[in-house]
Amino acid sequence: MAHFSDIEWRKNMPISYGAQDPVLDNGILFPSFYRTVPSESAQYKGLIQLLQHFSWNWVGLIASSDENNKKASEEFKIELLKNGICIEYFHIFSSTNIAMTWGKTVQMLKYSTAQVIIIFCDKYTLIDFLHTVQLFILPAKVWITSSSIISFIAPNLSPFNGSILFSLHKGEIPGLKDFTYSVTPSTLPDNIFTARMWHLSFGCLPSNYRMYRETWGPSLNCTGNETLQVLDLLYGTHRLTYAVYKAVYAMAHSLHAMLSFNKIKQLSADRPYMNLKKDFKASKLTQYLKNAHFTTTSGEEFHFENRSAPPQYDILNWIITHDKKVLSNQIGSFDLNAPPGQQLIINDSAIQWNQHLTEIPPRSVCSESCLPGYRKAIPKNIHVCCYDCVRCSDGEISNKTDMENCVKCAEDQWSNAGRNMCISRTIEFLSYEEALGISLSSIAIVFAFMTLGVLVIFIYHRDTAIVKANNRNLSYTLLVSLTMCFLCSLLFVGCPVALTCFFRQAAFGIIFAVAVSSVLAKTTTVVIAFKATKPGSRATKWLGSQVSSYLVCLSSMGEALICLLWFICSPPFLEFDTHEQSDKMILQCNEGSVTAFYFVVGYIGLLAALSFIVAFLARKLPDSFNEATHITFSMLVFCIVWLSFIPAYLSTKGKYMVAAEIFAILASSAGLMGCIFIPKCYIIVIRPDLNTRERLIGKKTNQSVVDST
């Protein structure tokens, strides 16, 4: 290699075995620079995967103030933030005078909550730093570094016990161990490097190098028994040795390839061999060095990737044993070229953590993980790693740890109590199996039977004066329609189906229209009857006609027409109401057109209002013949019930809205039956002595009026 000691070689064709600065990756600035160690940027990726492996997202970052480590720490800080790892503090300490910043450093480490500290500095600065830190009682931390200081760690540096090193990949160099163990100043008497190593390692100098004592410092005379085998300093510890080994072999293989090519070329041209010292140009070797690919004597393949070594690292665990020995156990590896998920390999069980850590394995997080059922809520102007855990809202879940947003359940599902699973909603409707449904159904059936009982009484006593006096046919029509009103409320109870949804409101509206029309016809008949008692009145010709029947049919046809238009334009349909914020969804009948529904109810209200007005005007007619007073009270009850129904209907949801409508149907029907027919039943059943023509007509009443009705 002596031939290549010229300036051009050293300037234009360097092969480094230790430079890891990422800026050297720039092929434009450094087109001929090669190195047998990977770029430091690959190490950043490995460190981040190591932090993610242990779920450490809250770290401290410390660096010495020298340019290289300060620059590396700044670049690594950016990578940490890109990957969602937060930095509690970023501290730069003086690399030349650690004592200048020890106060701030100690306070920072003492009150820090981060359990992991990543430090960028050279080996000697790190030792000085740790010696300074050890003077104070500080909480145990996990230290991570990439400095190659294994053989320089002192056994008394207990704060560094259990720390992790991201180290250069080491391979075997066959024969190196035997060579280093056999090296002594006696075997290499003229080698100044051997003498210097003996001075550093054993504090002694061979006799022929005593002139260096003033330069190197005080020393003893070597006995000749000192060997590197005792200290084991070089072999198996200094990983740069393997990088140097690869650099030499890469150069040798590239040079061999170039010389072989030139030899063939010169032989074919019948030219003399190339004079290496005179004709060699470093730039000519670049293409051969770029394509260098060889297998080391230990069987490991090597080639350059972007003029650097493949990004491979060994992960070591520094351990200080009870007998004050320093061990460096390999606990894993990192290979950036491996498939995703296989780049970082860690043997967790092989790690020996610092025994003074508060938690093993250590945790380094700003906030504890949000369990399923909770989401992360990050306050403003706070690290993204520092957050509160907020329980998911109703209808939302989080089924993983540390979810940032809760997931909304499907419409037919709801969140469980733990907010970590969506479960099917319970279908709710007014059922026959619950107390409310049973009560309303029972009341409807009881009133229906009572109404049928009244009808039977009226039919049985159809020839009595009071039954005949109140228009038997209208009374029968009213009683039948009231019975059907009570029974139609049963269409609203139970599991809704498409057919009941389609017909129940129409059935209720038309039947009620018939009932109220019958009441209106009865009231009108009473007014006509008393008008006919006046001499010369034209109302007499209407007494025997079918006016009442026409009035009932015409009024009912109006309601039927509204329902027909409702069916044509926007008919009711069955649906699930999933808008309610609960674990239940309502199976209900959508009315289709709300306007049509209120037209149906409003039309019945109009008929009731007309009946009330007519009955109110006829209330002062002679009591013995007049039922207008009872009709007035019945219509008053009817109107009050349905006016109260509207706000109740609008303010309730689901089965309670249905229950409100059933209650209005039952209450208004019961009001009609009670006010109109109960007094008559009392006379028919309890006081038959009052059920005579003479008692009903009275002395001043025209007999023809009674006979005609």
Side-chain angles (χ1 to χ4, degrees):
M1 300 294 291
H3 294 292
F4 309 107
S5 59
D6 57 283
I7 301 235
E8 183 185 11
W9 171 264
R10 288 183 281 113
K11 181 178 180 181
N12 297 326
M13 185 52 68
I15 296 184
S16 173
Y17 56 84
Q20 302 183 60
D21 197 321
V23 74
L24 298 174
D25 291 333
N26 192 321
I28 298 176
L29 296 178
F30 307 97
S32 301
F33 182 85
Y34 289 82
R35 51 187 170 186
T36 53
V37 291
S39 171
E40 206 164 40
S41 59
Q43 181 180 266
Y44 300 158
K45 293 180 173 61
L47 285 170
I48 288 172
Q49 288 195 29
L50 178 69
L51 296 175
Q52 292 173 340
H53 174 80
F54 291 107
S55 300
W56 294 334
N57 65 1
W58 187 240
V59 300
L61 188 59
I62 298 178
S64 57
S65 59
D66 59 279
E67 183 179 353
N68 288 338
N69 286 297
K70 186 176 180 181
K71 178 176 177 292
S73 61
E74 292 281 1
E75 292 174 349
F76 184 59
K77 175 185 176 183
I78 296 173
E79 292 298 321
L80 286 174
L81 297 177
K82 283 182 180 178
N83 288 272
I85 298 173
C86 300
I87 303 170
E88 183 182 11
Y89 53 85
F90 179 35
H91 179 62
I92 304 294
F93 65 91
S94 174
S95 57
T96 56
N97 190 354
I98 297 177
M100 292 176 59
T101 55
W102 70 266
K104 181 179 179 180
T105 304
V106 168
Q107 291 298 313
M108 180 184 60
L109 295 176
K110 184 176 182 179
Y111 297 105
S112 165
T113 59
Q115 297 297 309
V116 175
I117 302 173
I118 304 169
I119 185 166
F120 285 83
C121 63
D122 60 78
K123 53 193 173 186
Y124 300 108
T125 305
L126 180 59
I127 293 174
D128 293 341
F129 177 81
L130 293 175
H131 275 296
T132 304
V133 170
Q134 191 171 245
L135 297 175
F136 304 91
I137 301 176
L138 297 176
K141 304 286 184 179
V142 177
W143 295 81
I144 300 178
T145 184
S146 60
S147 300
S148 302
I149 59 171
I150 304 171
S151 54
F152 299 93
I153 288 293
N156 62 338
L157 292 179
S158 57
F160 215 58
N161 187 24
S163 297
I164 296 175
L165 167 69
F166 232 79
S167 176
L168 296 173
H169 173 62
K170 183 190 74 171
E172 296 293 331
I173 306 177
L176 178 63
K177 181 176 181 180
D178 295 335
F179 172 76
T180 54
Y181 287 172
S182 65
V183 169
T184 65
S186 300
T187 57
L188 299 172
D190 298 327
N191 193 316
I192 190 173
F193 296 105
T194 306
R196 178 58 172 162
M197 184 176 294
W198 250 244
H199 178 260
L200 292 173
S201 304
F202 303 105
C204 70
L205 279 174
S207 58
N208 57 331
Y209 285 95
R210 293 174 184 173
M211 73 287 293
Y212 288 99
R213 287 181 179 176
E214 292 184 4
T215 305
W216 293 350
S219 62
L220 303 174
N221 294 326
C222 293
T223 63
N225 296 323
E226 299 86 356
T227 64
L228 295 178
Q229 187 173 3
V230 177
L231 297 179
D232 194 17
L233 284 179
L234 285 179
Y235 185 77
T237 56
H238 206 305
R239 292 171 176 260
L240 288 179
T241 305
Y242 188 62
V244 175
Y245 168 79
K246 290 186 291 185
V248 173
Y249 266 78
M251 181 60 65
H253 278 272
S254 300
L255 185 59
H256 175 74
M258 186 184 74
L259 293 177
S260 298
F261 176 79
N262 286 329
K263 182 177 179 180
I264 296 172
K265 184 176 180 181
Q266 289 167 358
L267 287 175
S268 63
D270 194 19
R271 295 171 56 189
Y273 294 146
M274 180 180 68
N275 188 321
L276 293 180
K277 183 173 180 65
K278 184 178 180 180
D279 301 330
F280 176 79
K281 299 295 182 181
S283 58
K284 294 181 179 180
L285 189 59
T286 302
Q287 57 179 325
Y288 297 98
L289 195 60
K290 178 181 179 181
N291 298 320
H293 195 137
F294 61 91
T295 302
T296 65
T297 52
S298 62
E300 181 177 330
E301 290 191 3
F302 176 82
H303 64 282
F304 288 105
E305 293 182 5
N306 191 26
R307 295 170 290 105
S308 299
Q312 294 179 327
Y313 294 89
D314 294 337
I315 303 175
L316 307 178
N317 183 208
W318 277 328
I319 304 166
I320 301 175
T321 63
H322 295 293
D323 54 355
K324 301 301 180 181
K325 290 183 179 179
V326 179
L327 303 178
S328 57
N329 297 335
Q330 183 168 340
I331 57 172
S333 62
F334 176 74
D335 184 358
L336 189 59
N337 290 334
Q342 302 177 21
Q343 296 176 346
L344 181 73
I345 299 175
I346 294 289
N347 184 4
D348 294 347
S349 60
I351 304 176
Q352 296 187 36
W353 303 103
N354 192 317
Q355 64 272 23
H356 298 296
L357 289 170
T358 56
E359 187 178 3
I360 303 247
R363 287 176 54 80
S364 188
V365 294
C366 181
S367 301
E368 291 299 324
S369 296
C370 292
L371 299 176
Y374 294 83
R375 65 173 177 85
K376 294 196 296 187
I378 302 175
K380 292 183 178 179
N381 303 321
I382 301 294
H383 289 288
V384 295
C385 303
C386 305
Y387 48 81
D388 298 323
C389 293
V390 179
R391 189 172 177 82
C392 290
S393 303
D394 290 340
E396 297 180 345
I397 65 163
S398 63
N399 53 9
K400 295 180 182 178
T401 302
D402 287 337
M403 289 186 65
E404 295 185 357
N405 296 294
C406 296
V407 179
K408 192 172 183 179
C409 293
E411 288 191 353
D412 60 341
Q413 294 181 325
W414 197 252
S415 55
N416 63 346
R419 302 289 196 279
N420 59 1
M421 183 187 301
C422 289
I423 58 176
S424 297
R425 284 184 170 187
T426 303
I427 299 176
E428 183 182 63
F429 53 87
L430 186 59
S431 170
Y432 285 109
E433 298 176 357
E434 57 182 304
L436 182 60
I438 294 173
S439 301
L440 293 175
S441 301
S442 301
I443 294 172
I445 293 173
V446 169
F447 274 111
F449 277 106
M450 289 178 61
T451 309
L452 286 176
V454 173
L455 178 60
V456 170
I457 292 174
F458 266 59
I459 293 175
Y460 185 77
H461 298 280
R462 60 184 177 278
D463 295 325
T464 60
I466 196 168
V467 174
K468 293 172 64 178
N470 289 279
N471 198 321
R472 286 178 297 188
N473 294 332
L474 284 179
S475 297
Y476 297 158
T477 303
L478 179 57
L479 287 171
V480 171
S481 61
L482 287 177
T483 303
M484 295 180 66
C485 284
F486 287 121
L487 294 178
C488 80
S489 64
L490 299 178
L491 295 174
F492 294 82
V493 185
C495 182
V497 294
L499 188 62
T500 56
C501 284
F502 190 81
F503 285 110
R504 70 181 190 180
Q505 295 291 3
F508 144 72
I510 294 173
I511 293 171
F512 249 90
V514 173
V516 177
S517 298
S518 300
V519 174
L520 177 61
K522 286 176 69 67
T523 310
T524 305
T525 301
V526 170
V527 173
I528 292 174
F530 277 93
K531 290 288 184 178
T533 58
K534 296 180 180 180
S537 175
R538 295 181 180 182
T540 306
K541 63 180 178 178
W542 298 103
L543 286 177
S545 66
Q546 300 296 321
V547 174
S548 58
S549 300
Y550 295 148
L551 185 59
V552 172
C553 292
L554 185 61
S555 300
S556 303
M557 286 298 294
E559 186 77 344
L561 182 60
I562 294 174
C563 292
L564 179 61
L565 294 175
W566 185 3
F567 290 161
I568 294 173
C569 297
S570 181
F573 57 90
L574 185 66
E575 70 167 1
F576 283 102
D577 183 5
T578 57
H579 297 92
E580 291 299 313
Q581 297 296 311
S582 70
D583 60 346
K584 298 177 180 179
M585 60 179 178
I586 302 169
L587 181 60
Q588 64 180 12
C589 294
N590 189 311
E591 307 306 343
S593 172
V594 178
T595 303
F597 171 73
Y598 284 112
F599 263 106
V600 167
V601 177
Y603 185 79
I604 297 173
L606 177 63
L607 294 178
L610 290 175
S611 299
F612 175 76
I613 293 172
V614 174
F616 181 79
L617 295 176
R619 71 189 184 282
K620 294 184 179 181
L621 295 176
D623 290 340
S624 58
F625 187 81
N626 186 15
E627 63 174 348
T629 302
H630 303 304
I631 293 176
T632 302
F633 280 111
S634 68
M635 288 296 101
L636 184 62
V637 172
F638 187 93
C639 293
I640 291 174
V641 168
W642 284 101
L643 288 175
S644 302
F645 160 75
I646 294 174
Y649 185 82
L650 294 176
S651 62
T652 54
K653 296 291 183 181
K655 63 181 182 180
Y656 298 104
M657 181 174 66
V658 177
E661 186 171 356
I662 294 175
F663 177 80
I665 293 173
L666 297 179
S668 56
S669 301
L672 289 177
M673 188 195 70
C675 293
I676 296 175
F677 293 102
I678 294 301
K680 296 178 176 58
C681 289
Y682 172 78
I683 295 175
I684 294 172
V685 178
I686 306 301
R687 296 294 304 276
D689 56 303
L690 300 178
N691 191 10
T692 61
R693 181 182 302 179
E694 291 76 13
R695 297 285 284 181
L696 290 174
I697 295 175
K699 294 181 180 179
K700 297 180 180 181
T701 305
N702 193 336
Q703 178 68 34
S704 62
V705 174
V706 178
D707 293 337
S708 64
T709 58

